[in-house]
Amino acid sequence: MSERFQTIFPYVSIVPARPTPLKPPTPPTPLKPPITWRPMDWGKIKDELEWLESFRPQSDNVKHLRVLLCGPCGSGKSSFINSVDSICQKRITGPADANNAQEADPELAKTAGQSYTLKYKTHRIQKGTPGQYYPFVFNDVMGLESTNGILLEDIELTMKGHVKDNYKFDPKTPLDDSNDCYINNPTPDDKAHILVFVLAVDIIHVADPRMFMKMTEIRLAARDLDIPQIAILTKIDEKSCHLVKKDLKNVYSSTNIKNAMEKLSNTMGFPLNCIFPLKNYHAEIELKDEVDMLILTALRKILDLANEHVNATGVAATNLSANNVNRT
């Protein structure tokens, strides 16, 4: 073909076509890092531990701050106590009975959906040598249920300090002053200084509306007693999103966690700065800094609010006593 073309057109030269150069592939758009909506300095764990070690109640009216835990069955109240104890002991511990084996144990399976904690018990956290304790205690109560569980009257009595250790809650009959476990004249140490709601992070999606009605009644009772309240959201590694499951440090970048906090705030009225998502220890055999940091952040808020409450009630009691003296 080219020879014939040259014979017909002898003065025309054939220039071979140049191949069109291939464009290099467009590099993929780099993924933007998740937006952090609540700052968290993960490197401050040493500072938090030192703060906890040196913590003391500011008021001389009490020997310790009493933290009352409340929430639905299986939300992680006992596990939270164990997690705080583990951090303080620098090893995994389990002083508070926690029901984590319902599917494995036929007897425990009978308690599914029911409270594993039946008695009122004070949990002290050992500090250093035996006999030495941190100046705060935890009280775990029978879990809330939609149609059963602990009664509102009993929770009010625990907040007021009228319930003795080892009292077995009756879901049908509240404690009264004829019972040997009733404290007639509670001291400031007997009373609750803060109420902590322990809730699974997915509670908004799974809880019965009657559960929220009960919790709202409890919140109102605590408000009338001027007891501060916060909420902690547990099981964030199990029931939130892949971002948090992959790395717990993504907790404050997770849209799912943020939405859960906002829905709880809108439903029950907790300010967002009084809601703390965290993970309890349950399967681990060693401590992890990111787990510790979330728990310690919540614990600092709990103790700060309890301290403020004790100071305020102490000042109010002093003023009342002074007014009574002035009247006589």
Side-chain angles (χ1 to χ4, degrees), residues 250-319:
N250 290 327
V251 58
Y252 290 130
S253 301
S254 166
T255 302
N256 286 17
I257 297 290
K258 185 179 181 182
N259 289 341
M261 292 170 61
E262 290 175 344
K263 288 178 180 178
L264 180 64
S265 176
N266 293 334
T267 304
M268 292 190 61
F270 287 105
L272 286 173
N273 61 6
C274 286
I275 303 175
F276 290 85
L278 54 81
K279 165 188 162 46
N280 286 325
Y281 284 110
H282 61 95
E284 295 78 8
I285 59 174
E286 293 183 352
L287 299 177
K288 296 183 178 180
D289 285 353
E290 59 270 26
V291 178
D292 290 0
M293 191 63 190
L294 290 174
I295 293 171
L296 288 169
T297 302
L299 183 61
R300 181 190 273 255
K301 184 71 170 184
I302 290 170
L303 297 180
D304 281 343
L305 290 177
N307 234 347
E308 292 170 7
H309 170 70
V310 170
N311 289 341
T313 52
V315 170
T318 301
N319 291 340

Side-chain angles (χ1 to χ4, degrees), residues 73 99 102-103 107-115 145:
C73 304
N99 188 0
Q102 290 179 355
E103 295 181 1
E107 289 302 313
L108 290 178
K110 297 176 183 178
T111 69
Q114 300 176 10
S115 181
E145 300 174 32

Side-chain angles (χ1 to χ4, degrees), residues 162-177:
H162 289 293
V163 183
K164 287 184 180 179
D165 255 19
N166 293 316
Y167 169 67
K168 187 174 181 179
F169 293 103
D170 185 339
K172 299 184 182 299
T173 306
L175 176 68
D176 61 40
D177 57 8

